[in-house]
Amino acid sequence: MTSSKGTFPTVTFTELTDKNTVLTKQYGIFMGCFKKKHPGIMSDGFAKQVTMQLDQVIPYFASLSEHQAICHGLTENPLAMITVKSRETKDRIARTKDNFIFRSGEPSLVLLDVDADDSYGSTKINSPTDLVDIVETILPSISNAAYMAMASASSGIMSTDTDELLTSNCGFHIYFVAQDSSDIPRFIETLFKKLVLEGFGHIKVSRSGSQLLRTVIDGAIKSPERLDYVAPAVISDGLSRQTIDPTLRPGGMLDTVVLKNLTPEEERSYADLVKQLKSDTKEKAATFRNQYVEIKSIELGISKKRLMQVLESADRSVLEYDFVLTLNDNSTVIVDEVWSNPRNWDGVSLRDPLDPDDGSSKAMIIVGDDHNIRINSFAHGGYLYKLTGKPVELYSSIQHTRLDDAEKFLEDFNKKIICDLDRMDEVDIL
Amino acid sequence: MTYNPFTDLSCTVRKHAVKGIITSTGAGKTRSVRSILKDIAKRGGNGTIVMFIADLKLAKEQQAELRAALPHLNIELYLGISQPDPTSPNHKMCRRHRADDLVSRGIPIKSLCGSKQSGYCQHHANASAATPCAYSQQTLKTPDIWICTHVMLFNKSPEFFGPTTLKVIDESFFRSAYSSHLSIEVDEIENKTRYRKGSHLLNLAYHVCNHIRNMPDGHLDVSALSAYADNRLISALDTVAKVSVNLQPSSTNQEIDIAIDQYKGSQSYALAMFWSSLALLARMHIGHTPFLVKKTDSGKTIIELPHFSHPHKSWESPTVLLDSTMPVEVNKKFFKNLEVDRIDTQTSHTRYIQITDSLLSKTQFTRTPSTYHRVLEIVSVVARQIPDAHPTKILLACSKTVEAKLQQIGLPAKCETIHYGAVTGSNKYSDVPCILVVGRIEIPIIQAELQAALLDERPLDVPAKNYYPQRQVIVKDQTLPAYYHPDPLTEEIRRHWNEGQILQAIGRGRAIRRTVQKPLDVILLTNVPLPIEEQYLTLTKWKDIQQTMLEVLLAKHDIVPLGSGELMRTFPNLFDTKDKARTAIKAVTDRYPELGQIIKVGGISSINIINRQYPTYFHKTTALIKYTPDKKGAKPGYALIRKRQGHSLQQILNELTPTKPTKTRKRSANNTNVPPTHYDIQGFIAKELPPLPDPLRKKQYYDEQQRKWVTRRNKDTTDVCGNDNGRVYYVTKRSCLR
């Protein structure tokens, strides 16, 4: 561990424990193949607020068990019982934005998550210092802020037999202490856009040919209720972990408010730049999409043309009725099933619709007050997808007759009226 | 089992038959009703036929049409006492002081008119006045058919109408039945002078009002109040004291003022309505009542009483409902024994073009004010297609707000407007060549749900939703997003305002009555799915239907050069840089790729460019010409040009620049009078047609009816095509350039 003498700010966050669920990543060798398992969903446990100095965080994280994780937001009470939303009671709360909040004016951990990305145009970040140097060009005051950096739980997994690196060792987390936690979501969003504007943005083309905007940090790590899997990964025999040493830099808190929002001109430039980046990777995306459609159309029994349409809609954040959603346990469900019974699906967490390989619990189904159903994906900057039900044929059965027939019909109608002039019907009234 | 006091009071009554017909607008339902009226009038009897029309303007139009169609019948329009006297515009139908105030407060005016026993008002036709009022003259009429507005259906039939033989209700009437203005102060409910002596209602009033005062504002909770809705309450409903107003034919203006002031405070109608609404709670046991809304205003507690009135029993007679967009379930709430027949008719000579990607809702206009200008460009281009001398205009249908804004910016002279909410019935636009429908209106979900709950006498869902859910509707193999409501009754109300108003607007063009010679184009600038025959519908995108800058300029000036230098010279204010000019030219050549190809290759004598994607009889044809400016060293250029009435193409071209012949032509000695040609026509930009048959061996004709090329000419063929050394061309016969 690289340590530095000096002052470190104090921070409070929430420790979560669920004895029945493994809340960290798991790696193992199964039938000679390297396998990874994403952390489970916390459904029954407790939350405890923890306060410490930033330099004490490293040994604290190392001491956490596989059934523990943290949240950067805080609950109303220092101790709380946690359950799922559908079973929420007065004494047992769910891990939602309503119950876990960033308190205004109070400090909180802010995480800059660097994921290894070898996509074309991505910026290679070798060390936490590299990232801090980049951010400093946008936010000079970050140079006075204390931080703690450590490898992410999934990085640097190696085979002990072959010494082969099975997961990239370039991913790491840098924790700062934000002065006003309520500004964190805005700060991360603005920083993401400014990094893109500074030329650190690139497009990652997913397996399904979707063009996903990325930069040197993950723009999705900004929710107070989000689980941060900080406990050491569980690795089986035959594997070892070789990661960078945790780093500490003394200093003060990070004043996120100093980072101003984008001006309208900057917003326009940002939009143009994103357009340009997408245009540059258009061909690659088309190739990937064709390959994906080729394979998936057989697998799902959907015509290639239709699958292509569905994916194009998904790119516009619309998931059509026959889009296949992947649940956390890798089982699948089509959008129409969710649409036909929305109440059963409200609040269910699942994998990212466009990038299911990214891990479980990356997205959540939300049924709105307006009856509309959406999926909020927290992966890679966050996306909101709108789900659409099976289209209805409202008017196709209407037969349009010739005008002559209509006139004849009206004549008959007239005759009926004349006949019925004296007819009386029995009507029930109150 | 829940006790329901209404069970004891339910009974069966005998009612006259009620028949409804839903047909496409213009199918002749009004005409067919004329024949019914004629037949019934022939039968004689002492009753009158009454026709209810949406508003007075349409009623006048209907009266004129009926009088023309049935000259042997006496057809009169009923005018209320507050209407202007048609024979003396400075007077109202009733000439008495504040007559309309009396009527609006529900004070019977009969006492002011007087009778044989009590004597007549000085303006009465039976009095010895020199000029009797128009209203009393109206009472003496005995027509075969009375025409009234929908509002009259909910009031007592005027006595001079006599019994009704048949009532015909044209278009949807339920809007006239809805009232949201009635209200009563809670203190007034407890006022004992408002009840007859010993009224059970007065005993209840104290408890009910206490409950209401302790409730939060908004629709009142049924569970707290339904206990009061019992048999005793229902049987005591007529114990609200009637306030009598002592007015005589000889009453002075001052006495009328006093009577109005006295009656103003009585609120007897509102009080009766309050107790009737409370009685209805017996049918509900949970939820919120739609009938009673509490509001606190400046310390006063007020109960608002939204309600639907029902047709007055004095109109009881056989009934015919005519409506092309009839909300059947809604109408059944007024006429329980309603039987409906439906027939949809082909519109073979109407072409629809609809955008699929934008609603052009009010929000879009607010967020992007430039949308007004984009719409106006489309309107201008379409309107400019009509030759100046032609009397016709195009029709624009939109919301009232959009209409006002477009009028403020400036609509072309060849465009008339109507707004949603006032689109029904009129035949005024049956000849328009084109209808543009811009955006749509939507009744707020909270209002639609309230009206459905009132009609169905059921509790209201609280809190109300903010938005309608959306679903995908298949239209011509595409899916369009559409708002809807899961409850069928609420959906009918929503549809009445949304799709219903658009269909009524389209219906003004009498699409089914169009012919080859008189086709109709409907441009739908909204993506609301509609029951349109798919074979005549073209779907497009909002971006694609918008006009390029050069198209707008062409519509305005009848000529636009296609060279960047010439464009800058001709329109220096619009194109101050070469880049701007090039972008504008690129936009038009991108839209019509054939145009670019012709310019590139040069001199192809045929073009099939879709200038307007919908064919009409009046279109001016556009040509692509090649010309050479009469300047030293000038290179030949291209321009789009349109024939203007009374002008030759050369004259229009001269407005752009002096030109010289594109190439030297030898003139024969016998043909010296032929003027030199200063341009070459490269081709025509014509209307959309299916691909020409290939190979084309002989002359072929375009059959509009079958929408295909045929070898034999018939009455439906309009265009001739042929070949010229293997290059295919066709010209539009009716609107060719020469």
Side-chain angles (χ1 to χ4, degrees):
Chain A
M1 181 175 83
T2 314
S3 65
S4 301
K5 284 179 186 171
T7 56
F8 290 92
T10 304
V11 66
T12 304
F13 51 90
T14 309
E15 176 193 289
L16 294 152
T17 309
D18 182 346
K19 291 205 169 142
N20 302 316
T21 314
V22 175
L23 294 179
T24 188
K25 293 173 184 171
Q26 299 167 73
Y27 298 92
I29 303 286
F30 181 71
M31 307 273 282
C33 295
F34 174 65
K35 295 276 177 192
K36 65 176 175 180
K37 199 175 171 189
H38 288 284
I41 306 156
M42 185 177 180
S43 57
D44 187 15
F46 58 88
K48 183 177 88 177
Q49 283 176 16
V50 185
T51 305
M52 63 185 68
Q53 280 195 175
L54 190 63
D55 57 337
Q56 293 164 353
V57 165
I58 300 171
Y60 168 74
F61 283 177
S63 71
L64 289 175
S65 81
E66 63 199 60
H67 297 289
Q68 288 179 309
I70 67 159
C71 256
H72 298 179
L74 301 177
T75 51
E76 195 182 344
N77 297 319
L79 278 169
M81 300 297 283
I82 304 294
T83 185
V84 287
K85 201 184 171 195
S86 56
R87 279 185 243 145
E88 205 172 8
T89 61
K90 214 166 147 187
D91 305 322
R92 297 170 79 85
I93 58 168
R95 193 171 51 81
T96 60
K97 273 199 177 73
D98 294 336
N99 298 323
F100 285 75
I101 53 165
F102 281 136
R103 290 181 190 163
S104 182
E106 288 188 21
S108 173
L109 285 176
V110 55
L111 167 61
L112 302 185
D113 181 11
V114 180
D115 283 331
D117 191 349
D118 51 7
S119 305
Y120 172 76
S122 62
T123 310
K124 186 94 175 157
I125 304 287
N126 293 316
S127 68
T129 329
D130 285 356
L131 180 73
V132 175
D133 288 348
I134 288 170
V135 177
E136 208 175 311
T137 59
I138 297 163
L139 183 68
S141 63
I142 205 166
S143 58
N144 301 323
Y147 73 75
M148 183 278 279
M150 60 185 279
S152 61
S154 58
S155 77
I157 307 291
M158 291 179 76
S159 162
T160 46
D161 295 339
T162 60
D163 280 349
E164 187 195 352
L165 195 61
L166 300 170
T167 63
S168 165
N169 59 357
C170 298
F172 51 84
H173 293 172
I174 307 182
Y175 292 90
F176 289 88
V177 178
Q179 206 168 303
D180 179 359
S181 62
S182 63
D183 190 45
I184 290 174
R186 185 208 64 86
F187 168 74
I188 294 290
E189 200 181 318
T190 311
L191 183 62
F192 183 92
K193 286 184 176 178
K194 292 215 170 182
L195 285 166
V196 172
L197 274 174
E198 287 295 317
F200 297 106
H202 69 276
I203 295 293
K204 181 189 171 186
V205 179
S206 77
R207 268 193 310 144
S208 61
S210 293
Q211 294 169 291
L212 311 167
L213 180 65
R214 299 282 184 268
T215 183
V216 286
I217 62 160
D218 186 342
I221 318 286
K222 57 189 178 191
S223 292
E225 84 291 1
R226 193 177 194 281
L227 280 179
D228 188 1
Y229 304 110
V230 289
V234 178
I235 48 175
S236 68
D237 292 344
L239 295 173
S240 65
R241 196 157 171 249
Q242 192 185 59
T243 58
I244 57 162
D245 284 340
T247 318
L248 270 171
R249 186 180 82 176
M253 286 191 201
L254 178 64
D255 186 2
T256 54
V257 183
V258 176
L259 186 73
K260 299 289 175 212
N261 284 342
L262 265 64
T263 60
E265 290 77 40
E266 284 176 323
E267 286 283 5
R268 269 195 294 278
S269 308
Y270 174 77
D272 290 345
L273 189 57
V274 172
K275 212 170 164 184
Q276 184 57 47
L277 288 170
K278 287 193 174 176
S279 164
D280 294 346
T281 50
K282 211 171 154 185
E283 276 179 30
K284 186 182 175 187
T287 314
F288 274 47
R289 175 142 297 178
N290 287 336
Q291 287 168 354
Y292 181 83
V293 166
E294 201 75 41
I295 300 161
K296 281 283 171 181
S297 64
I298 302 164
E299 205 177 290
L300 301 169
I302 302 174
S303 74
K304 284 180 196 169
K305 193 182 161 192
R306 177 67 200 145
L307 191 58
M308 196 63 101
Q309 283 172 353
V310 168
L311 289 167
E312 277 165 12
S313 290
D315 287 341
R316 296 191 305 271
S317 302
V318 176
L319 304 180
E320 293 190 24
Y321 67 99
D322 44 3
F323 187 88
V324 181
L325 299 170
T326 310
L327 302 179
N328 282 335
D329 60 358
N330 272 323
S331 61
T332 55
V333 59
I334 60 166
V335 165
D336 198 44
E337 279 182 51
V338 177
W339 185 263
S340 53
N341 207 346
R343 281 188 186 178
N344 284 3
W345 291 94
D346 191 13
V348 168
S349 79
L350 69 165
R351 289 162 185 267
D352 180 70
L354 291 189
D355 199 2
D357 298 338
D358 193 40
S360 62
S361 302
K362 294 280 179 180
M364 185 178 276
I365 298 171
I366 301 159
V367 180
D369 275 350
D370 51 359
H371 315 269
N372 286 324
I373 308 168
R374 293 178 179 84
I375 288 181
N376 190 3
S377 171
F378 318 112
H380 314 298
Y383 286 94
L384 197 63
Y385 297 96
K386 193 174 168 187
L387 275 60
T388 63
K390 200 168 186 172
V392 288
E393 291 191 49
L394 273 187
Y395 306 118
S396 56
S397 62
I398 297 176
Q399 296 293 315
H400 294 267
T401 58
R402 290 173 66 89
L403 185 57
D404 298 345
D405 296 334
E407 283 174 348
K408 174 83 182 49
F409 179 87
L410 284 167
E411 269 175 39
D412 295 343
F413 177 75
N414 293 352
K415 284 176 194 162
K416 271 196 268 177
I417 288 170
I418 303 287
C419 289
D420 285 348
L421 269 183
D422 301 322
R423 197 186 91 194
M424 298 294 278
D425 297 330
E426 289 198 341
V427 180
D428 288 333
I429 60 155
L430 287 172
Chain B
M1 200 178 113
T2 320
Y3 169 68
N4 182 353
F6 284 93
T7 322
D8 303 338
L9 299 172
S10 66
C11 64
T12 305
V13 293
R14 286 168 68 78
K15 293 246 179 196
H16 283 99
V18 183
K19 289 201 169 283
I21 186 143
I22 306 173
T23 62
S24 312
T25 318
K29 59 183 189 305
T30 314
R31 196 171 22 246
S32 88
V33 161
R34 282 177 206 151
S35 83
I36 303 173
L37 299 177
K38 197 170 147 189
D39 289 347
I40 295 174
K42 259 189 208 168
R43 284 161 50 133
N46 58 353
T48 318
I49 299 164
V50 186
M51 212 170 166
F52 293 91
I53 310 290
D55 59 47
L56 203 56
K57 200 173 140 200
L58 290 174
K60 284 178 185 165
E61 205 179 291
Q62 187 64 253
Q63 184 195 20
E65 284 178 21
L66 279 176
R67 278 181 170 170
L70 307 167
H72 58 288
L73 293 181
N74 184 5
I75 297 150
E76 291 295 342
L77 174 66
Y78 171 83
L79 294 170
I81 60 158
S82 53
Q83 293 299 326
D85 178 352
T87 56
S88 173
N90 295 332
H91 292 105
K92 291 200 168 169
M93 291 293 284
C94 172
R95 297 190 181 189
R96 293 304 295 263
H97 174 66
R98 294 182 71 184
D100 38 358
D101 272 354
L102 290 167
V103 171
S104 66
R105 285 176 171 77
I107 304 173
I109 200 164
K110 204 184 152 196
S111 55
L112 268 182
C113 289
S115 63
K116 209 173 176 181
Q117 288 77 29
S118 62
Y120 289 104
C121 157
Q122 53 169 325
H123 300 296
H124 198 278
N126 289 344
S128 54
T131 48
C133 74
Y135 192 81
S136 68
Q137 283 180 313
Q138 185 174 246
T139 61
L140 303 177
K141 289 178 182 171
T142 52
D144 301 298
I145 301 166
W146 272 112
I147 297 178
C148 306
T149 55
H150 282 165
V151 183
M152 279 295 289
L153 187 62
F154 309 99
N155 296 326
K156 190 172 179 287
S157 149
E159 272 178 26
F160 59 89
F161 270 38
T164 312
T165 314
L166 174 76
K167 64 176 177 288
V168 178
I169 306 171
D170 196 12
E171 307 296 352
S172 207
F173 62 90
F174 83 97
R175 283 153 56 185
S176 307
Y178 179 62
S179 166
S180 59
H181 305 299
L182 195 66
S183 63
I184 187 166
E185 279 181 36
V186 171
D187 292 346
E188 201 63 23
I189 299 169
E190 287 182 297
N191 186 341
K192 59 183 174 188
T193 63
R194 306 295 173 217
Y195 301 92
R196 284 193 215 153
K197 215 172 179 183
S199 169
H200 171 63
L201 299 183
L202 186 59
N203 298 337
L204 285 182
Y206 171 76
H207 301 288
V208 170
C209 291
N210 268 352
H211 261 301
I212 291 174
R213 285 195 187 95
N214 292 328
M215 285 178 176
D217 279 8
H219 289 273
L220 296 182
D221 187 353
V222 174
S223 54
L225 295 172
S226 59
Y228 297 106
D230 57 12
N231 255 346
R232 282 192 74 191
L233 166 66
I234 293 158
S235 49
L237 283 177
D238 58 353
T239 57
V240 174
K242 300 269 188 306
V243 175
S244 59
V245 177
N246 189 22
L247 286 175
Q248 309 279 330
S250 57
S251 297
T252 61
N253 290 353
Q254 202 183 353
E255 284 167 338
I256 293 174
D257 286 340
I258 293 166
I260 289 171
D261 287 346
Q262 273 177 357
Y263 203 82
K264 198 176 169 184
S266 81
Q267 291 195 300
S268 58
Y269 178 67
L271 192 59
M273 183 57 78
F274 169 80
W275 287 110
S276 304
S277 300
L278 197 72
L280 286 168
L281 303 192
R283 294 182 203 180
M284 309 169 194
H285 293 279
I286 48 162
H288 290 79
T289 168
F291 308 105
L292 304 166
V293 190
K294 184 186 164 190
K295 273 200 177 162
T296 312
D297 188 13
S298 329
K300 287 180 184 171
T301 308
I302 296 163
I303 298 294
E304 290 183 345
L305 302 154
H307 65 281
F308 276 98
S309 302
H310 282 257
H312 198 274
K313 58 185 177 190
S314 57
W315 296 110
E316 174 54 25
S317 57
T319 308
V320 178
L321 303 180
L322 310 168
D323 191 358
S324 55
T325 53
M326 187 188 295
V328 179
E329 291 310 312
V330 170
N331 283 3
K332 279 188 176 171
K333 297 293 170 193
F334 297 91
F335 298 103
K336 288 192 191 316
N337 54 333
L338 171 66
E339 292 168 358
V340 179
D341 286 329
R342 178 182 186 118
I343 189 157
D344 293 279
T345 317
Q346 290 173 352
T347 55
S348 315
H349 298 289
T350 300
R351 299 290 177 269
Y352 305 88
I353 183 163
Q354 182 173 23
I355 57 166
T356 56
D357 54 347
S358 177
L359 267 177
L360 251 68
S361 62
K362 204 174 151 189
T363 321
Q364 183 167 343
F365 280 102
T366 316
R367 280 188 192 157
T368 324
S370 62
T371 312
Y372 286 112
H373 295 277
R374 299 290 87 77
V375 168
L376 215 52
E377 281 171 6
I378 297 171
V379 175
S380 305
V381 168
V382 178
R384 287 281 298 181
Q385 301 275 358
I386 307 171
D388 296 338
H390 202 289
T392 193
K393 290 183 178 183
I394 62 162
L395 178 65
L396 172 73
C398 54
S399 70
K400 213 170 177 178
T401 331
V402 174
E403 184 188 36
K405 184 73 185 174
L406 289 176
Q407 278 170 344
Q408 191 195 331
I409 300 171
L411 281 164
K414 287 272 180 199
C415 175
E416 284 197 68
T417 58
I418 49 170
H419 61 259
Y420 300 133
V423 291
T424 55
S426 181
N427 278 330
K428 214 174 131 188
Y429 310 104
S430 56
D431 286 332
V432 293
C434 178
I435 296 176
L436 269 133
V437 174
V438 179
R440 56 88 170 103
I441 51 167
E442 188 82 273
I443 181 172
I445 186 168
I446 193 165
Q447 266 299 316
E449 286 182 345
L450 170 66
Q451 291 189 13
L454 288 169
L455 282 169
D456 212 21
E457 296 174 1
R458 67 182 182 209
L460 197 63
D461 281 344
V462 172
K465 304 277 183 292
N466 290 326
Y467 308 100
Y468 291 99
Q470 265 193 341
R471 65 182 169 190
Q472 300 292 314
V473 175
I474 299 173
V475 177
K476 210 177 177 182
D477 298 332
Q478 287 195 31
T479 54
L480 303 189
Y483 289 113
Y484 77 106
H485 198 284
D487 172 58
L489 196 63
T490 318
E491 171 64 2
E492 268 201 355
I493 294 167
R494 188 204 64 79
R495 197 184 293 172
H496 167 81
W497 284 102
N498 187 327
E499 289 95 316
Q501 293 298 304
I502 297 175
L503 290 172
Q504 285 286 357
I506 298 171
R508 295 314 98 221
R510 302 292 185 233
I512 62 171
R513 296 271 161 197
R514 295 303 178 122
T515 58
V516 174
Q517 287 75 29
K518 212 175 65 177
L520 171 68
D521 294 337
V522 178
I523 304 169
L524 293 156
L525 300 183
T526 183
N527 65 350
V528 173
L530 297 165
I532 290 171
E533 288 156 279
E534 290 188 348
Q535 54 187 329
Y536 304 130
L537 173 67
T538 308
L539 296 175
T540 185
K541 299 255 191 265
W542 169 230
K543 193 182 158 201
D544 295 338
I545 206 166
Q546 287 178 53
Q547 303 298 311
T548 60
M549 202 175 207
L550 293 197
E551 284 176 290
V552 177
L553 289 173
L554 180 67
K556 206 169 171 186
H557 302 282
D558 289 326
I559 187 159
V560 280
L562 291 176
S564 52
E566 280 288 277
L567 208 51
M568 285 169 70
R569 193 183 58 74
T570 319
F571 306 106
N573 296 336
L574 293 172
F575 307 104
D576 51 355
T577 64
K578 213 154 196 174
D579 272 355
K580 279 187 186 170
R582 278 182 188 146
T583 311
I585 295 167
K586 191 174 178 296
V588 79
T589 49
D590 279 354
R591 175 166 289 190
Y592 308 119
E594 298 94 327
L595 196 64
Q597 216 174 4
I598 292 158
I599 294 169
K600 205 172 165 188
V601 178
I604 297 173
S605 63
S606 71
I607 317 171
N608 180 11
I609 296 176
I610 307 158
N611 183 27
R612 310 291 322 148
Q613 294 183 6
Y614 31 85
T616 57
Y617 62 97
F618 59 82
H619 278 165
K620 292 175 181 176
T621 302
T622 303
L624 174 70
I625 57 164
K626 189 176 183 182
Y627 66 99
T628 309
D630 195 6
K631 282 189 291 187
K632 198 179 174 187
K635 288 179 184 169
Y638 291 89
L640 288 170
I641 190 164
R642 299 189 341 159
K643 180 87 172 90
R644 194 187 296 155
Q645 212 163 20
H647 292 74
S648 68
L649 285 189
Q650 186 62 58
Q651 282 172 314
I652 300 167
L653 181 59
N654 286 346
E655 287 175 18
L656 183 68
T657 182
T659 50
K660 60 185 176 186
T662 48
K663 55 189 170 187
T664 321
R665 293 187 181 199
K666 282 182 187 173
R667 292 189 201 177
S668 68
N670 303 334
N671 200 14
T672 49
N673 290 332
V674 176
T677 313
H678 287 207
Y679 57 87
D680 283 342
I681 291 182
Q682 302 292 300
F684 301 108
I685 298 171
K687 62 188 188 179
E688 182 185 26
L689 291 170
L692 291 162
D694 186 32
L696 191 70
R697 292 177 203 282
K698 53 185 173 181
K699 271 191 174 179
Q700 300 211 11
Y701 303 93
Y702 185 66
D703 187 329
E704 294 240 11
Q705 190 76 38
Q706 299 182 48
R707 289 175 72 76
K708 66 176 189 183
W709 294 99
V710 292
T711 50
R712 286 192 178 183
R713 184 153 206 174
N714 63 49
K715 67 179 173 61
D716 287 333
T717 53
T718 56
D719 302 295
V720 58
C721 72
N723 64 357
D724 174 17
N725 297 328
R727 285 171 178 168
V728 179
Y729 72 94
Y730 68 85
V731 291
T732 308
K733 202 179 169 194
R734 283 192 301 272
S735 54
C736 72
L737 284 160
R738 282 168 277 205

